[in-house]
């Protein structure tokens, strides 16, 4: 399985080329996508376009996004809503999402200091992601 991240691997076109190369070797594609709505929309566009797509990683609603979820910066989160584990292909223009610029500006004014949470097992030993 290949897990390129659209935000880090050169964008939609480059990940499409990675998917084509992976398909040549019978390797499935599972785009890595923990970053945000634009990255998720881009990954889903790939998912709908490549024949070797397997599964879409995404972090919508995960516990470490509390108070700052992936979809918080969209005017309408519906295009990135998963129902029964599936996403619908949107017919909206571009990536199919509209960024709420005021929400982004408000978040920029507040600033952030996100750090990965430190998780521990019941015995107190360190737990990895």
């Amino acid at each position: 399985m290949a897990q390129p991240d659209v935000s880090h691997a050169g964008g939609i076109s480059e990940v499409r080329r990675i998917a084509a190369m992976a398909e040549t070797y019978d390797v499935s594609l599972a785009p890595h996508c923990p970053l945000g709505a634009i990255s998720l929309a881009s990954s889903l566009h790939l998912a709908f376009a490549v024949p070797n797509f397997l599964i879409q990683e995404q972090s919508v609603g995960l516990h470490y996004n509390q108070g700052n979820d992936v979809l918080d910066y969209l005017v309408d989160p519906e295009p990135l809503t998963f129902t029964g584990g599936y996403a619908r292909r949107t017919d909206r223009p571009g990536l199919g999402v509209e960024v709420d610029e005021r929400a982004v500006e408000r978040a920029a004014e507040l600033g952030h200091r996100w750090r990965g949470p430190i998780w521990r097992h019941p015995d107190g030993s360190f737990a990895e992601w």
Side-chain angles (χ1 to χ4, degrees):
M1 180 183 326
Q3 290 186 275
D5 187 315
V6 176
S7 298
H8 298 281
I12 294 173
S13 296
E14 188 61 27
V15 174
R16 174 65 183 101
R17 288 188 278 277
I18 292 168
M21 187 183 314
E23 183 187 13
T24 302
Y25 293 95
D26 218 12
V27 173
S28 296
L29 188 77
H32 177 66
C33 183
L35 294 176
I38 294 172
S39 180
L40 180 55
S42 300
S43 294
L44 287 173
H45 272 64
L46 281 161
F48 294 127
V50 299
N52 55 329
F53 172 78
L54 176 65
I55 193 168
Q56 177 60 61
E57 177 187 23
Q58 51 90 15
S59 60
V60 174
L62 286 183
H63 61 282
Y64 62 78
N65 288 337
Q66 295 296 323
N68 190 25
D69 206 296
V70 173
L71 306 182
D72 289 351
Y73 301 101
L74 295 180
V75 171
D76 178 11
E78 190 275 328
L80 300 182
T81 301
F82 289 75
T83 305
Y86 293 90
R88 285 186 317 115
R89 184 179 52 83
T90 182
D91 58 0
R92 294 180 182 190
L95 292 175
V97 295
E98 183 180 350
V99 175
D100 182 347
E101 293 184 28
R102 284 294 306 138
V104 173
E105 290 168 357
R106 284 190 301 273
E109 289 169 4
L110 292 174
H112 67 87
R113 185 169 160 66
W114 191 91
R115 299 289 185 263
I118 297 174
W119 291 317
R120 300 211 176 267
H121 293 291
D123 67 0
S125 63
F126 181 72
E128 186 56 70
W129 286 66

